Amino acid sequence: EVQLVESGGGLVQPGASLKLSCVASGFTFSDYWMSWVRQTPGKTMEWIGDIKYDGSYTNYAPSLKNRFTISRDNAKSTLYLQMSNVRSEDTATYYCTRGGYDFDYWGQGVMVTVSS
Amino acid sequence: DIQMTQSPASLSASLEEIVTITCQASQDIGNWLSWYQQKPGKSPQLLIYGATSLADGVPSRFSGSRSGTQYSLKISRLQVEDIGIYYCLQAYSAPWTFGGGTKLELK
């Protein structure tokens, strides 16, 4: 059974940094592109970016490129999202997803709240 | 960025009714369109990919179609378990962009 389990969310202050993790199981992690998607409290969905199966290429939403970094550790079957200089508008549920063009599996999501 | 205009924003329908949700792309996106269902309190699930292909395990009452730059998701006979929010996603040109969502409720 494919599983994606995110962690690392919580309440953070504006300007802080945060790193989300997503542990994958049930499939060969190193065979797949992986992506991050977020959903605002108002239910708007936003694609954050993706990473090639070997980690050699990443692609980001331009509005987030300078603050967010996606990486992966195939030996640990883990996907990461490093968030820096977070803002109130980054408050959302963050999903780890399998795939690059369409997302056939999603994690349960992890909430990030940016507030002082 | 490619804009995906999804309509309606909300929809109330009866059991067994035919339901259609549409997404209008601001430019040609070919068949790089997928549909997702998000049930209350759950993560989104892939329904349709490649504009018309049914994802594994998705009931056959769901179907996708394309007419030019307009894409439609059809539920042939609405069931209780179909209640939730539906989103389209274009993956033709980065950044990938979602439609605004359609909240489907039972009448």
Side-chain angles (χ1 to χ4, degrees):
Chain A
E1 179 192 8
V2 171
Q3 285 196 317
L4 300 171
V5 180
E6 301 99 335
S7 62
L11 175 64
V12 292
Q13 293 193 333
S17 295
L18 191 66
K19 189 171 187 176
L20 306 182
S21 300
C22 169
V23 177
S25 61
F27 66 101
T28 303
F29 182 70
S30 57
D31 284 349
Y32 288 86
W33 284 69
M34 297 293 293
S35 304
W36 286 97
V37 173
R38 68 183 183 182
Q39 184 174 35
T40 67
K43 301 300 184 183
T44 298
M45 298 287 281
E46 182 177 19
W47 175 77
I48 295 170
D50 57 23
I51 186 167
K52 193 176 179 179
Y53 44 82
D54 61 359
S56 63
Y57 179 79
T58 52
N59 196 19
Y60 297 94
S63 61
L64 302 174
K65 185 174 184 177
N66 292 333
R67 298 188 299 117
F68 287 17
T69 302
I70 298 173
S71 61
R72 65 192 295 162
D73 184 337
N74 284 347
K76 295 182 178 179
S77 295
T78 302
L79 178 71
Y80 302 100
L81 178 65
Q82 177 71 53
M83 306 166 61
S84 63
N85 190 23
V86 296
R87 307 164 180 169
S88 58
E89 53 264 38
D90 296 324
T91 294
T93 297
Y94 287 73
Y95 292 99
C96 161
T97 69
R98 189 176 83 167
Y101 295 102
D102 47 64
F103 311 132
D104 60 354
Y105 287 95
W106 296 60
Q108 85 285 357
V110 61
M111 289 190 62
V112 173
T113 302
V114 182
S115 175
S116 55
Chain B
D1 297 2
I2 295 176
Q3 306 303 314
M4 301 301 296
T5 303
Q6 187 170 343
S7 61
S10 63
L11 175 58
S12 182
S14 303
L15 288 176
E16 304 290 323
E17 188 173 335
I18 297 173
V19 170
T20 302
I21 298 167
T22 62
C23 270
Q24 178 69 49
S26 60
Q27 65 183 74
D28 177 42
I29 60 168
N31 286 331
W32 296 96
L33 189 285
S34 51
W35 289 97
Y36 300 85
Q37 174 195 59
Q38 186 176 32
K39 296 182 180 181
K42 301 294 186 181
S43 302
Q45 291 181 285
L46 177 66
L47 296 175
I48 301 287
Y49 63 95
T52 60
S53 297
L54 198 65
D56 289 346
V58 175
S60 58
R61 64 180 179 274
F62 290 92
S63 63
S65 63
R66 171 192 175 190
S67 177
T69 57
Q70 181 166 291
Y71 299 80
S72 298
L73 174 71
K74 178 182 173 182
I75 308 173
S76 60
R77 294 172 60 184
L78 185 67
Q79 303 297 302
V80 172
E81 59 267 31
D82 300 335
I83 298 314
I85 305 175
Y86 291 79
Y87 297 93
C88 63
L89 168 71
Q90 72 80 20
Y92 175 80
S93 175
W96 306 164
T97 45
F98 286 87
T102 295
K103 186 174 184 180
L104 177 58
E105 299 175 322
L106 268 182
K107 189 180 291 182

